[in-house]
Amino acid sequence: SRFETCWPALMKDSHGVVIIFNPELPSHLKEIEMWYSCFVQQQPLLDSQCLLVAHHKPGSAGDTENLSLAYPLNKLKLIHSNLEEDPEDVRMEFMKYFRSIITLINESREREEMSIIS
């Protein structure tokens, strides 16, 4: 992509990655493997720092139950968003994700402080 030169700047000091894709586009399913590889594995971030969001367009025949992703994407937290039907559900999942990232940041900060002290 023409933005690849910007990626290192985007990735610098990032604590989490949210990948949003359209599950009905086969090309998207291939692309998220690339995004995961570049933005999560090469950083390296933990899988728990990555959230996948399968976004279903209004009126799409979103078969949310049968989206099976291949390894290593199947290890990641996956939420389905359909803002027509259940925006509150998506909001709750996002909050959970953000809380987990904040916890990770605080824990690593505490570890750093301890290592400076000792």
Side-chain angles (χ1 to χ4, degrees), residues 19-88:
I19 300 173
I20 301 172
F21 64 101
N22 181 343
E24 285 151 50
L25 292 181
S27 64
H28 272 206
L29 297 178
K30 281 253 76 61
E31 277 175 38
I32 54 177
E33 287 178 27
M34 188 258 312
W35 292 113
Y36 171 74
S37 165
C38 292
F39 280 84
V40 181
Q41 287 178 313
Q42 289 172 33
Q43 287 239 63
L45 291 177
L46 301 170
D47 286 340
S48 60
Q49 288 168 277
C50 182
L51 177 67
L52 291 180
V53 182
H55 184 64
H56 300 268
K57 288 207 173 108
S60 67
D63 184 4
T64 58
E65 300 313 305
N66 291 326
L67 178 62
S68 58
L69 297 172
Y71 180 87
L73 298 173
N74 60 4
K75 302 182 303 177
L76 304 173
K77 172 83 178 151
L78 168 69
I79 63 173
H80 291 271
S81 78
N82 182 333
L83 299 179
E84 275 186 323
E85 284 172 25
D86 210 344
E88 190 53 32

Side-chain angles (χ1 to χ4, degrees), residues 5-13:
T5 49
C6 307
W7 288 2
L10 287 174
M11 290 191 262
K12 187 177 171 351
D13 299 332

